[in-house]
Amino acid sequence: MRSRRAALVGALAAVSMVAVSACGATADQEEDGSGGSGKPVSGLRLMVPNTPGSGYDLTARTVSQVMQDTEVASGVQVFNLPGASGTVGLQRLVNEKGNGKMAMQMGLGVVGASYTSKSKATLTDTTPIAKLIEEAGAIVVPKDSPYKTMDDLVTAWKKDPKKLAVGGGSSPGGPDHLLPMQLAKAVGIKPKDVNYVSYDGGGELLPAILGNKLAFGASGFGEFLDQIEAGQVRVLAVTSEKPIDALKDAPTLKDSGIDLVFTNWRGIVAPPGITDEQKQTWVDSLTTMHDSEEWKAQLEKNGWVDAFAAGDEFGSYLTEQDKAVADLLAELGLA
């Protein structure tokens, strides 16, 4: 699975860079970047605030490819600026005030990192463009775990929260950290009492689960699919609103009597101070892309859940997410 993802990322990068070299002259020559009515938007740049091959990188390069395949835009340049869990890129974006040609691929992880990294730049400084996709989380245990249901797990967890270790594939403030913290609050456990063990991605998290080093793991469900199919781990619940097709036998947290829906989402924001017209160019371009058959095919191919919301709708959602994350991290003494 990982080798196929790496190959796809490489192919998308090649497509993106070929398009840049082929269309760069057009982008330089057209001052407004639109080329007139009905013509592709040109000169757009999409920054990825972490490394090539990451989830953000794959999403950004897929967006670039589909925008170009559907002739929504030409020469969309994708570039990486990693560092400090995405906040180096966030600071660069905020510094690009008024630049309507640049935007940044981001998601829930950047929201948390902006607080835990004590970033001077915040997402409230940016211009929200669109939320694109979501991925539900999953609560998993080793195949021989004594916990057969979420009720079993929660009962034991509430008796001694500090004894039961929960692992996630992200640092504090990231999605895998926020999920068990929100789950703890939902079942009446103080987040500060949660024994969270941070791992560097799913590649390190899985061996810890399989090796019975953790009571349970919390991460995006895609991280566990191979092991679930092989019978090495069991899913106690998924964190989406509705059951997931790929995990038809797994109940949701709500089905398990826990009032919580949690999704890791990805979206796009632009610098502060851009004009209404520049903002609308991004919104219209991404809306047209989203409505295409090419994008629908990519959603299915990558197992992404469509969660499109553009402009002010995404702005309201981002404000809510920012406050919820800030409040939770403040309770943990991390913000």
Side-chain angles (χ1 to χ4, degrees), residues 4-224:
R4 292 200 301 271
R5 168 179 267 203
L8 175 59
V9 171
L12 292 176
V15 169
S16 182
M17 293 311 296
V18 167
V20 170
S21 60
C23 303
T26 302
D28 290 340
Q29 290 168 5
E30 294 172 2
E31 191 172 297
D32 66 358
S34 65
S37 178
K39 292 186 178 180
V41 178
S42 62
L44 300 181
R45 304 182 73 210
L46 189 53
M47 175 171 54
V48 178
N50 50 21
T51 56
S54 65
Y56 288 167
D57 187 68
L58 177 62
T59 307
R61 295 188 186 281
T62 303
V63 167
S64 170
Q65 180 186 14
V66 175
M67 288 178 78
Q68 291 164 159
D69 287 349
T70 56
E71 299 185 348
V72 171
S74 63
V76 181
Q77 181 188 8
V78 178
F79 68 100
N80 300 80
L81 186 63
S85 301
T87 56
V88 169
L90 176 60
Q91 183 65 65
R92 165 71 182 277
L93 189 78
V94 171
N95 290 346
E96 292 281 341
K97 183 177 181 180
N99 183 355
K101 295 294 187 70
M102 183 182 287
M104 182 179 78
Q105 180 69 63
M106 49 74 71
L108 181 59
V110 178
V111 179
S114 69
Y115 289 100
T116 57
S117 297
K118 313 299 182 186
S119 173
K120 292 182 180 179
T122 67
L123 284 160
T124 56
D125 296 327
T126 67
T127 302
I129 300 297
K131 177 185 171 190
L132 299 173
I133 59 174
E134 321 183 303
E135 181 185 30
I139 305 301
V140 302
V141 295
K143 64 179 181 180
D144 55 353
S145 168
Y147 312 120
K148 306 300 182 185
T149 65
M150 280 301 300
D151 188 57
D152 292 342
L153 175 61
V154 170
T155 298
W157 199 19
K158 292 176 75 171
K159 284 182 179 179
D160 195 349
K162 294 181 179 180
K163 182 179 179 180
L164 270 66
V166 50
S170 62
S171 57
D176 289 5
H177 173 248
L178 295 172
L179 169 53
M181 297 303 159
Q182 290 194 12
L183 177 60
K185 289 191 72 171
V187 301
I189 295 171
K190 293 179 180 179
K192 278 192 173 182
D193 290 340
V194 175
N195 179 10
Y196 177 76
V197 183
S198 175
Y199 292 88
D200 187 11
E204 290 190 5
L205 173 61
L206 277 167
I209 296 172
L210 297 174
N212 292 294
K213 295 180 179 179
L214 302 167
F216 66 103
S219 189
F221 76 89
E223 297 284 352
F224 307 118

